[in-house]
Amino acid sequence: QVHLVESGGGSVQAGGSLSLTCVASSYTYRPWCMGWFRQAPGKEREAVAVIDDDGSAVYAESVKGRFTISRDRKNTLILKMDSLKPEDTALYYCAAGRGSWAFPKAAYLNEAAYAHWGQGTQVTVSS
């Protein structure tokens, strides 16, 4: 079991920056992948960025060049978001993968690979 708590959401104007933090605790294994997903009102949840235990990151096309994901040895996950756009407005979730084993990078952004989820933190970007 992995307990995830997000923080750092808020409101910002377009072009601004925010950083989200996810603290993992109560884990009995070190997840191979951890990542950020988001869900906007009326839309399905989508992947934003994922990082594996080797430090290799995968980003959704919509955030490439603007968002940076990082992870430390204590499984604290950070998402640095720059040049924010109104379409980035969503509830952002931290997620931890199902196991400590490596799996193909092509599956990193697949929600089915993640078994543990935080409660979410709201990000609102105004134009």
Side-chain angles (χ1 to χ4, degrees):
Q1 184 68 24
V2 180
H3 183 58
L4 303 169
V5 178
E6 305 99 332
S7 62
S11 297
V12 66
Q13 288 194 323
S17 298
L18 280 174
S19 284
L20 306 182
T21 299
C22 172
V23 177
S25 61
S26 303
Y27 49 89
T28 56
Y29 66 96
R30 185 172 175 83
W32 176 249
C33 273
M34 294 185 70
W36 292 95
F37 291 71
R38 68 186 180 187
Q39 186 168 22
K43 295 187 176 182
E44 293 187 354
R45 188 159 57 189
E46 62 177 3
V48 175
V50 168
I51 187 167
D52 65 26
D53 210 15
D54 281 345
S56 180
V58 176
Y59 296 91
E61 285 296 326
S62 60
V63 306
K64 277 184 180 177
R66 301 189 297 122
F67 290 12
T68 304
I69 189 171
S70 61
R71 174 183 179 182
D72 67 15
R73 298 308 297 172
K74 294 184 178 180
N75 281 338
T76 297
L77 194 67
I78 294 174
L79 184 69
K80 180 71 164 63
M81 305 183 293
D82 296 314
S83 303
L84 281 161
K85 304 176 181 180
E87 50 264 44
D88 294 318
T89 295
L91 188 61
Y92 282 70
Y93 296 92
C94 176
R98 296 185 177 278
S100 56
W101 53 86
F103 57 93
K105 197 168 285 188
Y108 280 15
L109 298 182
N110 188 336
E111 188 172 320
Y114 300 84
H116 307 286
W117 298 84
Q119 293 299 305
T121 184
Q122 179 66 37
V123 171
T124 302
V125 184
S126 58
S127 58

